[in-house]
């Protein structure tokens, strides 16, 4: 009986959810006793004031809900796998330095980028700092994603304005957040 309860509690801990374009399906697939993504996203929303739909759309765009996501490796001589383009890792694709800043400021020294609850808290923290520093509205998924992907310094300088690809990705993320928002009205 204890083993069955443990298996149910841990169900979905390490597996990537299916149907990642449906946030209700994502939450249903990750609703164990210990690992409950909806509960974690709601806690991040309360803590940082960023809507759950934006938090989830950011993670969806960054990693496709893969806990161990990393940027691709560059190629040496065109075919030998070489270094990665950045230190981004985990659900939130957080860079090493920014992740360390988050852990210092939030007191989460044991936090892990491959743990969903920690990653969604990171995204909320990052977006929250963007809101307070740059005056972006907490429900402006487009601008929040531009700042998230560019980094605060580049966002503040406006260097994203000449990057059509990034603007398109931010628009897609905002559309995903809108879709997630509509879907969440029907989540259990």
């Amino acid at each position: 009986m204890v083993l069955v309860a443990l298996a149910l509690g841990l169900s979905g801990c390490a597996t990537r959810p299916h149907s990642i374009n449906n946030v209700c399906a994502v939450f249903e697939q990750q609703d164990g006793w210990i690992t409950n993504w909806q509960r974690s996203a709601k806690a991040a929303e309360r803590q940082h004031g960023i809507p759950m739909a934006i938090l989830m759309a950011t993670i969806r765009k960054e990693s496709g809900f893969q806990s161990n996501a990393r940027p691709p490796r560059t190629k040496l001589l065109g075919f030998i796998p070489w270094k990665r383009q950045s230190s981004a890792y985990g659900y939130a694709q957080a860079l090493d330095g920014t992740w360390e800043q988050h852990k210092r400021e939030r007191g989460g020294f044991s936090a892990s980028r491959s743990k969903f609850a920690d990653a969604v808290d990171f995204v909320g923290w990052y977006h929250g700092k963007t809101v307070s520093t740059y005056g972006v509205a907490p429900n402006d998924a487009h601008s929040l994603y531009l700042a998230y992907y560019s980094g605060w310094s580049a966002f503040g300088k406006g260097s994203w304005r000449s990057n059509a690809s990034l603007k398109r990705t931010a628009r897609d993320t905002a559309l995903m957040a809108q879709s997630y928002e509509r879907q969440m009205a029907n989540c259990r």
Side-chain angles (χ1 to χ4, degrees), residues 84-118:
R84 296 197 186 273
Q85 298 168 350
S86 77
S87 63
Y89 178 73
Y91 289 111
Q93 289 294 281
L95 300 173
D96 289 350
T98 315
W99 183 256
E100 290 305 316
Q101 178 185 353
H102 169 255
K103 288 189 341 183
R104 281 192 310 275
E105 290 184 16
R106 298 281 296 143
F109 294 102
S110 65
S112 169
R113 291 181 275 186
S114 61
K115 182 179 174 193
F116 183 81
D118 295 336

Side-chain angles (χ1 to χ4, degrees), residues 3 20 34 36 38 90 119 123 138 154 157 159 167 172 180 188:
L3 291 176
I20 61 175
I34 296 171
N36 184 304
Q38 189 169 11
V123 173
K157 292 175 186 171
S159 60
K167 290 192 295 189
D172 292 346
Y180 278 1
R188 59 176 177 95

Side-chain angles (χ1 to χ4, degrees), residues 1 12 33-34 38 40 48 51 59-60 67 69 78 88 96 101 112-113 115-116 140 147 151 162 164 171:
M1 189 72 159
W33 290 340
I34 296 171
Q38 189 169 11
S40 297
H48 303 290
I59 292 174
R60 160 63 175 91
S67 64
D96 289 350
Q101 178 185 353
S112 169
R113 291 181 275 186
K115 182 179 174 193
F116 183 81
D140 182 354
S162 61
R171 187 172 51 251

